[in-house]
């Protein structure tokens, strides 16, 4: 199953805090040895300020017979606590003002007007407002994602610094993902996309990098939010983002393909998807993209059946797709059946069941239900155990 794991391709485009859930999933799925993943966790944790987490992992490594790298955790804890106390003290001066009901009532949509109001009435400077960003950054590094989200939200409401404002938006999105606040994270994804699209970056390459990171981070939200199935298809097919996938991260095609297959209302986009998969097959392919290629390019039903079996393994081993495994398989079988029916006039039920990788009995029930539910113009000959398609010959 490690053959299908693309975690290492994705890690360079993720904040290291977002990597922890992926490693935990790999451990649960037993895709790699526990000791390897434990060492990976510890090495990542050393780059954060999560001292308690580091100490826990250090203890687990010792129990496993591995000597952890010296981290000077006691001294580091003292330094971090001092930084946190100082940042909290400075930020509290700002919070005391902006959480005042009278101030809240006086603030408007115009940030410059708000800053002038705060300066005139409370002697507040941009440097003081930046303490909210600093505190949010420290809290995030310490693993206090809820507190970080709050601070970064307050900072963005007041700040006119576009660069730090964009950084704060990235931090807020990561924080909401890590606490599982999917509604707010979904809104943050929309806001971040708009910001990236309208920002004038120093170079087109910088904007391409931002979009590449954005595509990876958005997967956490889209595959956990009720509206994510529509959103991922709508976003990834936009010219700027399909170009980003083709240029920087073709492995994201796995998720776009899975989203189209599980979102049958978007079947109209299947032709566009097939074109992209065909075009990019030289630099990326996996059983999910190969399934679509077998079914809609070569019409090779034996290969499609083989790839569907492999798809199950891919879905099981993918952090984002494991939750839609059953839905994907059911819809994939529908796609096979529809394509099969389109190019055959007389269909042997036992043969189609085999193509769908189902037993004869299960296949018969499934095909009968499919014909009934989709109102396909067909008759079932129970005596010969076949389906007869009523095709209209066009002139």
């Amino acid at each position: 199953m490690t053959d299908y794991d693309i975690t290492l391709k994705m890690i360079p485009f993720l904040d290291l805090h977002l990597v922890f859930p992926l490693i935990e999933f790999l451990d649960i799925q037993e895709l790699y040895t526990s000791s390897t993943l434990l060492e990976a966790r510890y090495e990542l944790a050393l780059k954060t300020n999560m001292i308690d987490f580091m100490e826990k992992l250090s203890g687990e490594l010792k129990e496993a017979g591995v000597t952890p790298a010296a981290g000077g955790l006691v001294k580091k804890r003292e330094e971090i606590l001092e930084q946190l106390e100082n940042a909290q003290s400075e930020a509290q001066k700002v919070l005391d003002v902006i959480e005042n009901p009278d101030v809240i009532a006086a603030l408007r949509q115009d940030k410059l007007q708000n800053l002038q109001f705060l300066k005139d009435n409370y002697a507040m400077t941009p440097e003081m407002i930046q303490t909210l960003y600093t505190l949010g950054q420290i809290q995030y590094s310490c693993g206090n994602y809820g507190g970080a989200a709050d601070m970064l939200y307050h900072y963005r409401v007041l700040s006119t610094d576009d660069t730090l404002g964009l950084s704060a938006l990235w931090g807020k999105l990561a924080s909401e993902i890590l606490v599982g606040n999917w509604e707010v994270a979904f809104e943050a994804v929309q806001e971040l996309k708009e910001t990236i699209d309208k920002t004038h970056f120093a170079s087109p390459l910088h904007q391409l990098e931002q979009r590449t990171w954005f595509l990876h981070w958005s997967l956490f939200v889209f595959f956990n939010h009720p509206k994510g199935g529509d959103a991922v298809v709508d976003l990834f097919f936009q010219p700027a983002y399909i170009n980003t996938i083709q240029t920087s991260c073709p492995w994201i095609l796995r998720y776009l393909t899975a989203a189209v297959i599980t979102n049958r209302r978007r079947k109209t986009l299947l032709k566009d998807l097939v074109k992209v998969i065909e075009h990019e097959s030289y630099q990326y392919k996996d059983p999910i993209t190969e399934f679509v290629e077998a079914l809609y390019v070569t019409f090779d039903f034996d290969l499609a059946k083989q790839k569907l079996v492999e798809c199950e393994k891919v879905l099981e081993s993918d952090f984002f797709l494991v939750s839609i495994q059953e839905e994907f398989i059911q819809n994939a079988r529908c796609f096979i059946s529809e394509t099969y029916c389109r190019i055959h006039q007389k269909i042997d039920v036992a043969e189609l069941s085999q193509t769908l990788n189902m037993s004869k009995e299960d296949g018969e029930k499934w095909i009968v239900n499919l014909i009934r539910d989709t109102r396909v113009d067909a008759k079932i000959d129970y005596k010969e155990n076949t389906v007869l398609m009523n095709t209209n010959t066009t002139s």
Side-chain angles (χ1 to χ4, degrees), residues 308-373:
L308 185 56
V309 173
E310 292 176 18
C311 282
E312 292 192 52
K313 296 177 182 177
V314 174
L315 295 161
E316 283 174 20
S317 62
D318 192 288
F319 174 83
F320 300 103
L321 301 182
V322 67
S323 61
I324 62 168
Q325 181 179 355
E326 189 175 336
E327 186 181 1
F328 179 95
I329 299 301
Q330 288 299 319
N331 281 2
R333 284 172 175 160
C334 287
F335 281 114
I336 290 175
S337 301
E338 288 170 7
T339 307
Y340 199 90
C341 292
R342 198 180 303 129
I343 61 175
H344 290 80
Q345 190 168 6
K346 186 175 182 180
I347 299 160
D348 185 287
V349 172
E351 187 178 323
L352 180 53
S353 299
Q354 189 178 15
T355 302
L356 296 172
N357 197 34
M358 301 175 80
S359 68
K360 183 181 175 183
E361 293 75 16
D362 290 342
E364 286 176 1
K365 292 176 189 174
W366 196 85
I367 292 163
V368 169
N369 289 333
L370 179 70
I371 291 171
R372 184 189 63 216
D373 296 342

Side-chain angles (χ1 to χ4, degrees), residues 145-163:
Y145 305 120
D150 289 340
M151 287 304 108
L152 295 173
Y153 168 77
H154 287 310
Y155 174 75
R156 294 197 68 255
V157 167
L158 297 172
S159 174
T160 56
D161 186 320
D162 292 338
T163 303

